[in-house]
Amino acid sequence: MAKRINNVSGPERRRNLIRKLARRTGYRCFYCAQPFTADEQATFDHYIPYRLWRTGRHDALVLACQPCNERKADVLPWPLVWLLLAQHHQAPALAA
């Protein structure tokens, strides 16, 4: 079984990953946009749930506060669902 990202070994490695993600989207929760006051408040979340896309790549992660991370759980975020549905409706139908 893969090791959870939130259990990144060593506090320095965890801080480095938080800094890397914060440079991309700011030092705030990706879902509610509340700023973090300490590294301990930031959790890692797979934007596309890990059970659907099993990757540990950093571009698949976002920073989230604990309540938002727990609320999202392992479901697809609505903006992604809307984007996928829009693409599906625009795709041409296959001929029989």
Side-chain angles (χ1 to χ4, degrees), residues 2-45:
K3 195 175 196 181
R4 289 185 52 105
I5 299 292
N6 278 343
N7 295 335
V8 172
S9 61
E12 185 61 32
R13 188 167 171 211
R14 184 176 191 281
R15 276 193 297 274
N16 287 339
L17 181 54
I18 288 173
R19 278 190 222 113
K20 181 177 183 173
L21 296 175
R23 280 193 299 271
R24 187 175 68 202
T25 58
Y27 195 62
R28 56 186 62 244
C29 176
F30 182 79
Y31 302 106
C32 69
Q34 291 296 313
F36 297 113
T37 56
D39 287 352
E40 292 75 33
Q41 293 181 335
T43 64
F44 303 109
D45 182 53

Side-chain angles (χ1 to χ4, degrees), residues 32-74:
C32 69
Q34 291 296 313
F36 297 113
T37 56
D39 287 352
E40 292 75 33
Q41 293 181 335
T43 64
F44 303 109
D45 182 53
H46 287 87
Y47 185 69
I48 298 174
Y50 186 76
R51 69 182 176 91
L52 297 176
W53 187 30
R54 294 191 179 270
T55 182
R57 293 175 41 146
H58 297 163
D59 57 352
L61 298 174
V62 295
L63 292 178
C65 64
Q66 189 70 35
C68 285
N69 198 342
E70 289 174 3
R71 192 169 25 255
K72 180 191 164 275
D74 64 349

Side-chain angles (χ1 to χ4, degrees), residues 80-92:
L80 183 59
V81 171
W82 293 327
L83 180 65
L84 292 172
L85 287 173
Q87 292 297 319
H88 174 70
H89 291 300
Q90 292 174 2

